[in-house]
Amino acid sequence: MSRLAGLLEKLETYYGAPAAPRLNGPFEMILWEIVAYLADDAKRQTAFDVLRKRVGLTPEKILAAPQSKLIEVTRTGGAIAAEDRAGRLREAASLVTEEYGGDLSSVLKWPTPRAKKALMKFPMIGEPGAEKILMSCGALHVLALDSNGLRVLVRLGFGTESKSYSTTYRSVRGATLDEQPAGSQALTAAYHLLRQHGQQTCLRTSPACPTCPLRSDCPYFVASALR
């Protein structure tokens, strides 16, 4: 068993099996990112469910919805920039309709660089977000990370932290290539476990190191204890 696999096993024992949102394909994953802002998972899920029930999750239904209704939806995901996010929902729907004939799933068959570039044209989707979409859909066999998971792995000694987020991201991703789990389901589970650990224990400031299940194998904890 690789070191990373052992760490992930400890996290699953500590937190239980991760619960990923049920999203159908890349377009719904993009809507999930847009519909809420600075919201926890429960609030984001509520906003997404409101979008599903009041508008629908297809490009056609989003484009047909009045802007006022889209704003009502995005406000359930947070008051900040609700109008802007409503516009981004429409922008994403227009892009899928105009460039992909209403079906974004075609990008999953493209070579990875082309698929990533296409997904990064959508609002609120950067390189990590594009990789997460491709990984979750089984089109990329590399461990994608959000900022929480990235912080966890840097502290555990994977990769090198840099002033540039993208440089750090690529360094950590490269350092995990030989140790990452195989298969879309296992990669997605790893993504969510690392994210959960970063949100609940390995916090950006004042991490809860004394209760961390990984502290015995964490260079960051060892260095902190010696200060």
Side-chain angles (χ1 to χ4, degrees), residues 197-219:
H197 188 58
Q199 288 180 327
Q200 297 182 14
T201 303
C202 192
L203 307 173
R204 186 174 61 85
T205 58
S206 301
C209 293
T211 63
C212 176
L214 307 182
R215 63 187 181 277
S216 63
D217 194 18
C218 178

Side-chain angles (χ1 to χ4, degrees), residues 24-178:
N24 184 22
F27 184 60
E28 287 193 13
M29 293 181 187
I30 289 169
L31 298 180
W32 174 267
E33 297 298 330
I34 296 173
V35 76
Y37 180 66
L38 295 179
D40 60 23
D41 290 349
K43 190 169 187 178
R44 188 176 296 276
Q45 184 68 63
T46 296
F48 188 80
D49 290 341
V50 170
L51 177 64
R52 185 200 308 273
K53 293 173 184 176
R54 295 187 186 175
V55 176
L57 301 177
T58 65
E60 296 81 8
K61 290 183 177 179
I62 290 172
L63 290 173
Q67 187 71 358
S68 59
K69 181 174 283 190
L70 294 178
I71 293 172
E72 287 177 10
V73 169
T74 54
R75 278 183 179 151
T76 66
I80 299 174
E83 293 84 357
D84 289 343
R85 284 184 285 112
R88 288 168 183 162
L89 288 174
R90 195 178 297 280
E91 179 185 345
S94 294
L95 190 56
V96 173
T97 300
E98 294 168 6
E99 296 196 16
Y100 303 96
D103 183 9
L104 187 57
S105 62
S106 59
V107 304
L108 302 177
K109 300 176 183 178
W110 295 357
T112 297
R114 183 185 174 196
K116 281 172 56 175
K117 186 175 180 180
L119 291 171
M120 288 167 65
K121 290 182 180 179
F122 286 85
M124 301 180 74
I125 303 297
E127 182 179 15
E131 290 195 344
K132 181 184 77 169
I133 291 170
L134 294 172
M135 177 193 72
S136 300
C137 293
L140 178 66
H141 304 294
V142 171
L143 177 59
L145 298 161
D146 79 332
S147 60
N148 295 288
L150 184 68
R151 178 174 63 254
V152 169
L153 288 181
V154 166
R155 288 176 174 173
L156 287 168
F158 291 92
T160 304
E161 188 168 16
S162 165
K163 291 182 179 179
S164 164
Y165 184 89
S166 61
T167 300
T168 303
Y169 181 85
R170 289 171 186 148
S171 174
V172 171
R173 189 186 60 183
T176 61
L177 281 176
D178 293 336

